[in-house]
Amino acid sequence: MTTTPSLRDRIDAIVAKWGTKADSVPHHAVWDAIAQCAEDQPLTLVNHFKMRETASYDAGHTEAGSGLTGQEAFQRYGAVSMPGLEQVGGRFLMVAPFMGSFIGAAEDWDLVAIGSYPNPGALLALFEMDAYREAYAHRVAACADQRVSLCLG
């Protein structure tokens, strides 16, 4: 008889594989909040992205020094992340250029993407995909700044 790993066990494996870069992967408090969710709790991520003029890859990456724009690097990430989200049971509610802040302080973003997951397990499944982890380097290289809000529902 095989047992299904708990959300906590899956998160621990993800953190061990991905690391904890504060500016590009979720921090421990967020993972802890996800681990506490009910297994059927829908989750939504609201992503704000500001692209670099030129993508900035780590020195050992095959694209380092390639001269790709941030937008081109982000398109490489999107080519994997968009179908990956659907593969794990999620869907994009919106992907659109940022127009401006409606209420509150003025902000400067290039793109907003809202992805919905049917449950925490689906979100974790995306982070467990090797192809997604490999493509994530394009996202990091592409973004001068990013903000991702985790919402219930």
Side-chain angles (χ1 to χ4, degrees):
M1 178 170 95
T2 56
T3 59
T4 303
S6 69
L7 290 177
R8 178 81 262 162
D9 290 340
R10 291 174 67 190
I11 289 168
D12 290 345
I14 290 167
V15 170
K17 198 177 247 191
W18 283 70
T20 56
K21 292 181 183 176
D23 61 340
S24 60
V25 295
H27 51 80
H28 288 290
V30 173
W31 288 124
D32 290 343
I34 293 169
Q36 298 303 312
C37 287
E39 289 186 21
D40 61 349
Q41 173 64 59
L43 297 174
T44 299
L45 296 181
V46 181
N47 300 264
H48 291 78
F49 300 107
K50 182 68 179 174
M51 303 303 162
R52 300 177 199 274
E53 189 171 319
T54 303
S56 179
Y57 288 94
D58 288 339
H61 193 276
T62 58
E63 298 291 347
S66 65
L68 287 175
T69 66
Q71 186 63 42
E72 290 168 333
F74 198 81
Q75 288 171 354
R76 290 179 182 202
Y77 163 73
V80 174
S81 69
M82 293 182 89
L85 180 109
E86 293 175 2
Q87 183 179 338
V88 301
R91 63 188 177 99
F92 277 100
L93 304 178
M94 183 191 78
V95 177
F98 181 78
M99 194 170 155
S101 298
F102 192 66
I103 296 175
E107 296 187 27
D108 183 26
W109 301 103
D110 294 321
L111 182 69
V112 176
I114 302 174
S116 177
Y117 299 83
N119 54 55
L123 174 60
L124 298 183
L126 183 65
F127 278 83
E128 291 166 335
M129 294 173 65
D130 289 335
Y132 182 74
R133 187 168 50 88
E134 291 168 14
Y136 204 85
H138 297 296
R139 173 179 170 153
V140 172
C143 294
D145 195 11
Q146 59 182 312
R147 178 181 307 147
V148 183
S149 300
L150 174 64
C151 305
L152 296 175

